[in-house]
PDB file of all heavy atoms in Angstrom:
ATOM      1  N   MET A  16      -1.393  15.415   7.622  1.00  0.00           N
ATOM      2  CA  MET A  16      -2.317  15.198   6.521  1.00  0.00           C
ATOM      3  C   MET A  16      -1.785  15.779   5.215  1.00  0.00           C
ATOM      4  O   MET A  16      -2.049  15.216   4.134  1.00  0.00           O
ATOM      5  CB  MET A  16      -3.661  15.852   6.845  1.00  0.00           C
ATOM      6  CG  MET A  16      -4.484  15.120   7.915  1.00  0.00           C
ATOM      7  SD  MET A  16      -6.080  15.938   8.222  1.00  0.00           S
ATOM      8  CE  MET A  16      -6.881  14.699   9.236  1.00  0.00           C
ATOM      9  N   THR A  17      -1.030  16.863   5.307  1.00  0.00           N
ATOM     10  CA  THR A  17      -0.484  17.452   4.069  1.00  0.00           C
ATOM     11  C   THR A  17       0.556  16.514   3.462  1.00  0.00           C
ATOM     12  O   THR A  17       0.593  16.298   2.261  1.00  0.00           O
ATOM     13  CB  THR A  17       0.151  18.852   4.375  1.00  0.00           C
ATOM     14  OG1 THR A  17      -0.839  19.669   4.937  1.00  0.00           O
ATOM     15  CG2 THR A  17       0.664  19.440   3.078  1.00  0.00           C
ATOM     16  N   PHE A  18       1.400  15.969   4.318  1.00  0.00           N
ATOM     17  CA  PHE A  18       2.377  14.965   3.827  1.00  0.00           C
ATOM     18  C   PHE A  18       1.672  13.789   3.133  1.00  0.00           C
ATOM     19  O   PHE A  18       2.027  13.417   2.007  1.00  0.00           O
ATOM     20  CB  PHE A  18       3.212  14.403   5.013  1.00  0.00           C
ATOM     21  CG  PHE A  18       4.484  15.118   5.255  1.00  0.00           C
ATOM     22  CD1 PHE A  18       4.695  15.811   6.446  1.00  0.00           C
ATOM     23  CD2 PHE A  18       5.494  15.097   4.318  1.00  0.00           C
ATOM     24  CE1 PHE A  18       5.863  16.489   6.709  1.00  0.00           C
ATOM     25  CE2 PHE A  18       6.726  15.748   4.554  1.00  0.00           C
ATOM     26  CZ  PHE A  18       6.917  16.430   5.766  1.00  0.00           C
ATOM     27  N   VAL A  19       0.674  13.232   3.824  1.00  0.00           N
ATOM     28  CA  VAL A  19      -0.038  12.066   3.284  1.00  0.00           C
ATOM     29  C   VAL A  19      -0.784  12.432   1.997  1.00  0.00           C
ATOM     30  O   VAL A  19      -0.795  11.633   1.027  1.00  0.00           O
ATOM     31  CB  VAL A  19      -0.983  11.513   4.332  1.00  0.00           C
ATOM     32  CG1 VAL A  19      -1.841  10.397   3.741  1.00  0.00           C
ATOM     33  CG2 VAL A  19      -0.221  10.989   5.544  1.00  0.00           C
ATOM     34  N   ALA A  20      -1.414  13.631   1.953  1.00  0.00           N
ATOM     35  CA  ALA A  20      -2.138  14.057   0.793  1.00  0.00           C
ATOM     36  C   ALA A  20      -1.204  14.127  -0.414  1.00  0.00           C
ATOM     37  O   ALA A  20      -1.569  13.722  -1.537  1.00  0.00           O
ATOM     38  CB  ALA A  20      -2.833  15.400   1.037  1.00  0.00           C
ATOM     39  N   TYR A  21      -0.037  14.667  -0.198  1.00  0.00           N
ATOM     40  CA  TYR A  21       0.947  14.784  -1.309  1.00  0.00           C
ATOM     41  C   TYR A  21       1.401  13.410  -1.787  1.00  0.00           C
ATOM     42  O   TYR A  21       1.348  13.091  -2.981  1.00  0.00           O
ATOM     43  CB  TYR A  21       2.159  15.601  -0.855  1.00  0.00           C
ATOM     44  CG  TYR A  21       3.232  15.735  -1.913  1.00  0.00           C
ATOM     45  CD1 TYR A  21       3.218  16.820  -2.798  1.00  0.00           C
ATOM     46  CD2 TYR A  21       4.246  14.808  -2.051  1.00  0.00           C
ATOM     47  CE1 TYR A  21       4.180  16.944  -3.784  1.00  0.00           C
ATOM     48  CE2 TYR A  21       5.206  14.897  -3.041  1.00  0.00           C
ATOM     49  CZ  TYR A  21       5.174  15.985  -3.897  1.00  0.00           C
ATOM     50  OH  TYR A  21       6.117  16.085  -4.911  1.00  0.00           O
ATOM     51  N   LEU A  22       1.831  12.562  -0.858  1.00  0.00           N
ATOM     52  CA  LEU A  22       2.344  11.253  -1.231  1.00  0.00           C
ATOM     53  C   LEU A  22       1.281  10.360  -1.860  1.00  0.00           C
ATOM     54  O   LEU A  22       1.569   9.593  -2.786  1.00  0.00           O
ATOM     55  CB  LEU A  22       2.944  10.556  -0.004  1.00  0.00           C
ATOM     56  CG  LEU A  22       4.147  11.260   0.617  1.00  0.00           C
ATOM     57  CD1 LEU A  22       4.585  10.533   1.887  1.00  0.00           C
ATOM     58  CD2 LEU A  22       5.297  11.350  -0.366  1.00  0.00           C
ATOM     59  N   ASN A  23       0.046  10.511  -1.365  1.00  0.00           N
ATOM     60  CA  ASN A  23      -1.050   9.722  -1.945  1.00  0.00           C
ATOM     61  C   ASN A  23      -1.389  10.207  -3.322  1.00  0.00           C
ATOM     62  O   ASN A  23      -1.651   9.414  -4.257  1.00  0.00           O
ATOM     63  CB  ASN A  23      -2.261   9.805  -1.015  1.00  0.00           C
ATOM     64  CG  ASN A  23      -3.274   8.713  -1.305  1.00  0.00           C
ATOM     65  OD1 ASN A  23      -2.913   7.585  -1.600  1.00  0.00           O
ATOM     66  ND2 ASN A  23      -4.530   9.034  -1.205  1.00  0.00           N
ATOM     67  N   LYS A  24      -1.400  11.499  -3.525  1.00  0.00           N
ATOM     68  CA  LYS A  24      -1.721  12.105  -4.824  1.00  0.00           C
ATOM     69  C   LYS A  24      -0.674  11.703  -5.856  1.00  0.00           C
ATOM     70  O   LYS A  24      -0.993  11.453  -7.035  1.00  0.00           O
ATOM     71  CB  LYS A  24      -1.801  13.628  -4.687  1.00  0.00           C
ATOM     72  CG  LYS A  24      -2.208  14.333  -5.974  1.00  0.00           C
ATOM     73  CD  LYS A  24      -3.695  14.124  -6.282  1.00  0.00           C
ATOM     74  CE  LYS A  24      -4.109  14.973  -7.459  1.00  0.00           C
ATOM     75  NZ  LYS A  24      -5.539  14.766  -7.812  1.00  0.00           N
ATOM     76  N   LYS A  25       0.578  11.612  -5.440  1.00  0.00           N
ATOM     77  CA  LYS A  25       1.662  11.276  -6.328  1.00  0.00           C
ATOM     78  C   LYS A  25       1.772   9.766  -6.579  1.00  0.00           C
ATOM     79  O   LYS A  25       2.573   9.314  -7.392  1.00  0.00           O
ATOM     80  CB  LYS A  25       2.999  11.779  -5.772  1.00  0.00           C
ATOM     81  CG  LYS A  25       3.111  13.310  -5.737  1.00  0.00           C
ATOM     82  CD  LYS A  25       3.126  13.887  -7.132  1.00  0.00           C
ATOM     83  CE  LYS A  25       3.351  15.394  -7.089  1.00  0.00           C
ATOM     84  NZ  LYS A  25       3.473  15.993  -8.431  1.00  0.00           N
ATOM     85  N   GLY A  26       0.955   8.990  -5.863  1.00  0.00           N
ATOM     86  CA  GLY A  26       0.948   7.545  -6.070  1.00  0.00           C
ATOM     87  C   GLY A  26       2.086   6.810  -5.389  1.00  0.00           C
ATOM     88  O   GLY A  26       2.288   5.628  -5.680  1.00  0.00           O
ATOM     89  N   LEU A  27       2.779   7.455  -4.471  1.00  0.00           N
ATOM     90  CA  LEU A  27       3.927   6.846  -3.841  1.00  0.00           C
ATOM     91  C   LEU A  27       3.506   5.661  -2.933  1.00  0.00           C
ATOM     92  O   LEU A  27       4.094   4.612  -2.940  1.00  0.00           O
ATOM     93  CB  LEU A  27       4.706   7.851  -3.060  1.00  0.00           C
ATOM     94  CG  LEU A  27       5.997   7.328  -2.385  1.00  0.00           C
ATOM     95  CD1 LEU A  27       7.018   6.926  -3.474  1.00  0.00           C
ATOM     96  CD2 LEU A  27       6.583   8.338  -1.427  1.00  0.00           C
ATOM     97  N   ILE A  28       2.433   5.915  -2.156  1.00  0.00           N
ATOM     98  CA  ILE A  28       1.964   4.856  -1.229  1.00  0.00           C
ATOM     99  C   ILE A  28       1.480   3.618  -1.999  1.00  0.00           C
ATOM    100  O   ILE A  28       1.804   2.486  -1.682  1.00  0.00           O
ATOM    101  CB  ILE A  28       0.825   5.427  -0.354  1.00  0.00           C
ATOM    102  CG1 ILE A  28       1.363   6.547   0.540  1.00  0.00           C
ATOM    103  CG2 ILE A  28       0.203   4.330   0.478  1.00  0.00           C
ATOM    104  CD1 ILE A  28       0.321   7.240   1.359  1.00  0.00           C
ATOM    105  N   GLU A  29       0.745   3.893  -3.106  1.00  0.00           N
ATOM    106  CA  GLU A  29       0.242   2.793  -3.918  1.00  0.00           C
ATOM    107  C   GLU A  29       1.394   2.040  -4.550  1.00  0.00           C
ATOM    108  O   GLU A  29       1.387   0.793  -4.611  1.00  0.00           O
ATOM    109  CB  GLU A  29      -0.668   3.378  -5.004  1.00  0.00           C
ATOM    110  CG  GLU A  29      -1.456   2.350  -5.765  1.00  0.00           C
ATOM    111  CD  GLU A  29      -2.467   2.982  -6.692  1.00  0.00           C
ATOM    112  OE1 GLU A  29      -3.382   3.707  -6.193  1.00  0.00           O
ATOM    113  OE2 GLU A  29      -2.361   2.831  -7.899  1.00  0.00           O
ATOM    114  N   SER A  30       2.431   2.757  -4.971  1.00  0.00           N
ATOM    115  CA  SER A  30       3.589   2.087  -5.591  1.00  0.00           C
ATOM    116  C   SER A  30       4.295   1.186  -4.597  1.00  0.00           C
ATOM    117  O   SER A  30       4.747   0.088  -4.972  1.00  0.00           O
ATOM    118  CB  SER A  30       4.562   3.162  -6.138  1.00  0.00           C
ATOM    119  OG  SER A  30       3.946   3.919  -7.168  1.00  0.00           O
ATOM    120  N   LEU A  31       4.420   1.618  -3.357  1.00  0.00           N
ATOM    121  CA  LEU A  31       5.081   0.825  -2.357  1.00  0.00           C
ATOM    122  C   LEU A  31       4.322  -0.464  -2.096  1.00  0.00           C
ATOM    123  O   LEU A  31       4.919  -1.527  -1.890  1.00  0.00           O
ATOM    124  CB  LEU A  31       5.245   1.614  -1.064  1.00  0.00           C
ATOM    125  CG  LEU A  31       6.253   2.766  -1.077  1.00  0.00           C
ATOM    126  CD1 LEU A  31       6.200   3.522   0.228  1.00  0.00           C
ATOM    127  CD2 LEU A  31       7.641   2.221  -1.331  1.00  0.00           C
ATOM    128  N   ILE A  32       2.999  -0.370  -2.119  1.00  0.00           N
ATOM    129  CA  ILE A  32       2.177  -1.568  -1.917  1.00  0.00           C
ATOM    130  C   ILE A  32       2.478  -2.595  -2.995  1.00  0.00           C
ATOM    131  O   ILE A  32       2.716  -3.782  -2.736  1.00  0.00           O
ATOM    132  CB  ILE A  32       0.681  -1.237  -1.920  1.00  0.00           C
ATOM    133  CG1 ILE A  32       0.318  -0.376  -0.730  1.00  0.00           C
ATOM    134  CG2 ILE A  32      -0.176  -2.519  -1.889  1.00  0.00           C
ATOM    135  CD1 ILE A  32      -1.080   0.137  -0.763  1.00  0.00           C
ATOM    136  N   TYR A  33       2.450  -2.160  -4.247  1.00  0.00           N
ATOM    137  CA  TYR A  33       2.633  -3.075  -5.382  1.00  0.00           C
ATOM    138  C   TYR A  33       4.018  -3.645  -5.389  1.00  0.00           C
ATOM    139  O   TYR A  33       4.241  -4.736  -5.946  1.00  0.00           O
ATOM    140  CB  TYR A  33       2.322  -2.329  -6.681  1.00  0.00           C
ATOM    141  CG  TYR A  33       0.895  -1.901  -6.771  1.00  0.00           C
ATOM    142  CD1 TYR A  33       0.546  -0.654  -7.310  1.00  0.00           C
ATOM    143  CD2 TYR A  33      -0.134  -2.722  -6.355  1.00  0.00           C
ATOM    144  CE1 TYR A  33      -0.770  -0.239  -7.377  1.00  0.00           C
ATOM    145  CE2 TYR A  33      -1.460  -2.318  -6.438  1.00  0.00           C
ATOM    146  CZ  TYR A  33      -1.746  -1.098  -6.975  1.00  0.00           C
ATOM    147  OH  TYR A  33      -3.054  -0.721  -7.035  1.00  0.00           O
ATOM    148  N   ARG A  34       4.989  -2.941  -4.834  1.00  0.00           N
ATOM    149  CA  ARG A  34       6.365  -3.463  -4.824  1.00  0.00           C
ATOM    150  C   ARG A  34       6.513  -4.612  -3.825  1.00  0.00           C
ATOM    151  O   ARG A  34       7.340  -5.521  -4.041  1.00  0.00           O
ATOM    152  CB  ARG A  34       7.358  -2.334  -4.481  1.00  0.00           C
ATOM    153  CG  ARG A  34       7.515  -1.327  -5.595  1.00  0.00           C
ATOM    154  CD  ARG A  34       8.460  -0.191  -5.188  1.00  0.00           C
ATOM    155  NE  ARG A  34       8.527   0.873  -6.170  1.00  0.00           N
ATOM    156  CZ  ARG A  34       9.338   0.903  -7.210  1.00  0.00           C
ATOM    157  NH1 ARG A  34      10.229  -0.090  -7.343  1.00  0.00           N
ATOM    158  NH2 ARG A  34       9.340   1.881  -8.061  1.00  0.00           N
ATOM    159  N   PHE A  35       5.781  -4.543  -2.715  1.00  0.00           N
ATOM    160  CA  PHE A  35       5.986  -5.536  -1.644  1.00  0.00           C
ATOM    161  C   PHE A  35       4.930  -6.660  -1.633  1.00  0.00           C
ATOM    162  O   PHE A  35       5.213  -7.716  -1.076  1.00  0.00           O
ATOM    163  CB  PHE A  35       6.001  -4.825  -0.283  1.00  0.00           C
ATOM    164  CG  PHE A  35       7.229  -4.000  -0.066  1.00  0.00           C
ATOM    165  CD1 PHE A  35       7.186  -2.636  -0.236  1.00  0.00           C
ATOM    166  CD2 PHE A  35       8.433  -4.580   0.293  1.00  0.00           C
ATOM    167  CE1 PHE A  35       8.315  -1.836  -0.040  1.00  0.00           C
ATOM    168  CE2 PHE A  35       9.578  -3.815   0.495  1.00  0.00           C
ATOM    169  CZ  PHE A  35       9.559  -2.467   0.313  1.00  0.00           C
ATOM    170  N   LEU A  36       3.778  -6.425  -2.204  1.00  0.00           N
ATOM    171  CA  LEU A  36       2.738  -7.432  -2.178  1.00  0.00           C
ATOM    172  C   LEU A  36       2.866  -8.344  -3.437  1.00  0.00           C
ATOM    173  O   LEU A  36       3.188  -7.876  -4.489  1.00  0.00           O
ATOM    174  CB  LEU A  36       1.339  -6.797  -2.174  1.00  0.00           C
ATOM    175  CG  LEU A  36       0.904  -6.135  -0.842  1.00  0.00           C
ATOM    176  CD1 LEU A  36      -0.476  -5.525  -1.033  1.00  0.00           C
ATOM    177  CD2 LEU A  36       0.885  -7.150   0.283  1.00  0.00           C
ATOM    178  N   PRO A  37       2.571  -9.611  -3.246  1.00  0.00           N
ATOM    179  CA  PRO A  37       2.585 -10.513  -4.400  1.00  0.00           C
ATOM    180  C   PRO A  37       1.391 -10.288  -5.323  1.00  0.00           C
ATOM    181  O   PRO A  37       0.466  -9.552  -4.943  1.00  0.00           O
ATOM    182  CB  PRO A  37       2.541 -11.921  -3.749  1.00  0.00           C
ATOM    183  CG  PRO A  37       1.824 -11.669  -2.450  1.00  0.00           C
ATOM    184  CD  PRO A  37       2.282 -10.331  -1.981  1.00  0.00           C
ATOM    185  N   SER A  38       1.392 -10.920  -6.467  1.00  0.00           N
ATOM    186  CA  SER A  38       0.271 -10.714  -7.418  1.00  0.00           C
ATOM    187  C   SER A  38      -0.999 -11.300  -6.871  1.00  0.00           C
ATOM    188  O   SER A  38      -2.095 -10.803  -7.193  1.00  0.00           O
ATOM    189  CB  SER A  38       0.628 -11.366  -8.761  1.00  0.00           C
ATOM    190  OG  SER A  38       1.767 -10.769  -9.300  1.00  0.00           O
ATOM    191  N   SER A  39      -0.936 -12.338  -6.045  1.00  0.00           N
ATOM    192  CA  SER A  39      -2.094 -12.964  -5.465  1.00  0.00           C
ATOM    193  C   SER A  39      -1.796 -13.309  -4.034  1.00  0.00           C
ATOM    194  O   SER A  39      -0.747 -13.887  -3.707  1.00  0.00           O
ATOM    195  CB  SER A  39      -2.485 -14.211  -6.245  1.00  0.00           C
ATOM    196  OG  SER A  39      -3.613 -14.833  -5.687  1.00  0.00           O
ATOM    197  N   ILE A  40      -2.741 -13.000  -3.124  1.00  0.00           N
ATOM    198  CA  ILE A  40      -2.551 -13.266  -1.701  1.00  0.00           C
ATOM    199  C   ILE A  40      -3.942 -13.543  -1.102  1.00  0.00           C
ATOM    200  O   ILE A  40      -4.920 -12.945  -1.534  1.00  0.00           O
ATOM    201  CB  ILE A  40      -1.860 -12.095  -1.008  1.00  0.00           C
ATOM    202  CG1 ILE A  40      -1.573 -12.430   0.463  1.00  0.00           C
ATOM    203  CG2 ILE A  40      -2.675 -10.823  -1.129  1.00  0.00           C
ATOM    204  CD1 ILE A  40      -0.776 -11.363   1.182  1.00  0.00           C
ATOM    205  N   SER A  41      -4.022 -14.458  -0.173  1.00  0.00           N
ATOM    206  CA  SER A  41      -5.310 -14.726   0.467  1.00  0.00           C
ATOM    207  C   SER A  41      -5.761 -13.524   1.239  1.00  0.00           C
ATOM    208  O   SER A  41      -4.929 -12.779   1.805  1.00  0.00           O
ATOM    209  CB  SER A  41      -5.205 -15.940   1.379  1.00  0.00           C
ATOM    210  OG  SER A  41      -4.389 -15.642   2.484  1.00  0.00           O
ATOM    211  N   GLU A  42      -7.060 -13.292   1.266  1.00  0.00           N
ATOM    212  CA  GLU A  42      -7.598 -12.139   1.987  1.00  0.00           C
ATOM    213  C   GLU A  42      -7.296 -12.226   3.480  1.00  0.00           C
ATOM    214  O   GLU A  42      -7.068 -11.196   4.146  1.00  0.00           O
ATOM    215  CB  GLU A  42      -9.069 -12.005   1.753  1.00  0.00           C
ATOM    216  CG  GLU A  42      -9.454 -11.663   0.319  1.00  0.00           C
ATOM    217  CD  GLU A  42     -10.928 -11.652   0.066  1.00  0.00           C
ATOM    218  OE1 GLU A  42     -11.673 -12.325   0.855  1.00  0.00           O
ATOM    219  OE2 GLU A  42     -11.390 -11.038  -0.916  1.00  0.00           O
ATOM    220  N   ARG A  43      -7.252 -13.436   4.018  1.00  0.00           N
ATOM    221  CA  ARG A  43      -6.931 -13.588   5.416  1.00  0.00           C
ATOM    222  C   ARG A  43      -5.482 -13.175   5.701  1.00  0.00           C
ATOM    223  O   ARG A  43      -5.226 -12.450   6.680  1.00  0.00           O
ATOM    224  CB  ARG A  43      -7.096 -15.086   5.802  1.00  0.00           C
ATOM    225  CG  ARG A  43      -8.532 -15.558   5.888  1.00  0.00           C
ATOM    226  CD  ARG A  43      -8.592 -16.981   6.329  1.00  0.00           C
ATOM    227  NE  ARG A  43     -10.009 -17.395   6.515  1.00  0.00           N
ATOM    228  CZ  ARG A  43     -10.381 -18.606   6.933  1.00  0.00           C
ATOM    229  NH1 ARG A  43      -9.441 -19.529   7.177  1.00  0.00           N
ATOM    230  NH2 ARG A  43     -11.634 -18.883   7.092  1.00  0.00           N
ATOM    231  N   LYS A  44      -4.570 -13.581   4.870  1.00  0.00           N
ATOM    232  CA  LYS A  44      -3.188 -13.187   5.047  1.00  0.00           C
ATOM    233  C   LYS A  44      -3.043 -11.683   4.846  1.00  0.00           C
ATOM    234  O   LYS A  44      -2.247 -11.047   5.571  1.00  0.00           O
ATOM    235  CB  LYS A  44      -2.299 -13.931   4.073  1.00  0.00           C
ATOM    236  CG  LYS A  44      -0.809 -13.727   4.268  1.00  0.00           C
ATOM    237  CD  LYS A  44       0.048 -14.581   3.364  1.00  0.00           C
ATOM    238  CE  LYS A  44       1.527 -14.382   3.630  1.00  0.00           C
ATOM    239  NZ  LYS A  44       2.362 -15.201   2.719  1.00  0.00           N
ATOM    240  N   LEU A  45      -3.749 -11.137   3.905  1.00  0.00           N
ATOM    241  CA  LEU A  45      -3.701  -9.692   3.644  1.00  0.00           C
ATOM    242  C   LEU A  45      -4.195  -8.929   4.880  1.00  0.00           C
ATOM    243  O   LEU A  45      -3.624  -7.889   5.240  1.00  0.00           O
ATOM    244  CB  LEU A  45      -4.504  -9.356   2.433  1.00  0.00           C
ATOM    245  CG  LEU A  45      -4.474  -7.848   1.960  1.00  0.00           C
ATOM    246  CD1 LEU A  45      -3.075  -7.438   1.624  1.00  0.00           C
ATOM    247  CD2 LEU A  45      -5.410  -7.667   0.771  1.00  0.00           C
ATOM    248  N   LEU A  46      -5.249  -9.402   5.517  1.00  0.00           N
ATOM    249  CA  LEU A  46      -5.790  -8.760   6.725  1.00  0.00           C
ATOM    250  C   LEU A  46      -4.778  -8.832   7.857  1.00  0.00           C
ATOM    251  O   LEU A  46      -4.589  -7.853   8.576  1.00  0.00           O
ATOM    252  CB  LEU A  46      -7.086  -9.426   7.130  1.00  0.00           C
ATOM    253  CG  LEU A  46      -7.842  -8.790   8.308  1.00  0.00           C
ATOM    254  CD1 LEU A  46      -8.279  -7.365   7.951  1.00  0.00           C
ATOM    255  CD2 LEU A  46      -9.057  -9.609   8.704  1.00  0.00           C
ATOM    256  N   LEU A  47      -4.108  -9.953   8.006  1.00  0.00           N
ATOM    257  CA  LEU A  47      -3.067 -10.097   9.034  1.00  0.00           C
ATOM    258  C   LEU A  47      -1.916  -9.140   8.795  1.00  0.00           C
ATOM    259  O   LEU A  47      -1.434  -8.472   9.710  1.00  0.00           O
ATOM    260  CB  LEU A  47      -2.569 -11.545   9.084  1.00  0.00           C
ATOM    261  CG  LEU A  47      -1.457 -11.825  10.057  1.00  0.00           C
ATOM    262  CD1 LEU A  47      -1.878 -11.529  11.478  1.00  0.00           C
ATOM    263  CD2 LEU A  47      -0.964 -13.268   9.941  1.00  0.00           C
ATOM    264  N   LEU A  48      -1.453  -9.091   7.538  1.00  0.00           N
ATOM    265  CA  LEU A  48      -0.353  -8.182   7.225  1.00  0.00           C
ATOM    266  C   LEU A  48      -0.729  -6.721   7.470  1.00  0.00           C
ATOM    267  O   LEU A  48       0.087  -5.934   7.913  1.00  0.00           O
ATOM    268  CB  LEU A  48       0.063  -8.364   5.749  1.00  0.00           C
ATOM    269  CG  LEU A  48       0.759  -9.691   5.428  1.00  0.00           C
ATOM    270  CD1 LEU A  48       1.016  -9.802   3.931  1.00  0.00           C
ATOM    271  CD2 LEU A  48       2.041  -9.875   6.206  1.00  0.00           C
ATOM    272  N   THR A  49      -1.998  -6.380   7.181  1.00  0.00           N
ATOM    273  CA  THR A  49      -2.468  -5.045   7.426  1.00  0.00           C
ATOM    274  C   THR A  49      -2.455  -4.692   8.909  1.00  0.00           C
ATOM    275  O   THR A  49      -2.005  -3.614   9.332  1.00  0.00           O
ATOM    276  CB  THR A  49      -3.923  -4.834   6.880  1.00  0.00           C
ATOM    277  OG1 THR A  49      -3.933  -5.124   5.470  1.00  0.00           O
ATOM    278  CG2 THR A  49      -4.409  -3.431   7.136  1.00  0.00           C
ATOM    279  N   GLY A  50      -2.929  -5.649   9.721  1.00  0.00           N
ATOM    280  CA  GLY A  50      -2.928  -5.430  11.153  1.00  0.00           C
ATOM    281  C   GLY A  50      -1.543  -5.321  11.742  1.00  0.00           C
ATOM    282  O   GLY A  50      -1.260  -4.456  12.588  1.00  0.00           O
TER     283      GLY A  50
END
């Protein structure tokens, strides 16, 4: 949890999402990718 708290606070996880996800994606496809 300490690792995750640090990386989340620094915005690293969010930055990785934006790097790999397109600007627009169907919610169905997004749910599949999440799973």
Side-chain angles (χ1 to χ4, degrees):
M16 287 180 170
T17 302
F18 268 116
V19 174
Y21 178 90
L22 297 176
N23 198 37
K24 184 72 173 179
K25 294 293 186 176
L27 183 67
I28 296 175
E29 191 173 297
S30 296
L31 289 175
I32 295 174
Y33 295 139
R34 288 177 187 272
F35 289 101
L36 287 178
S38 300
S39 179
I40 184 174
S41 68
E42 292 175 339
R43 289 182 175 181
K44 187 175 181 180
L45 184 60
L46 186 62
L47 176 61
L48 291 176
T49 301

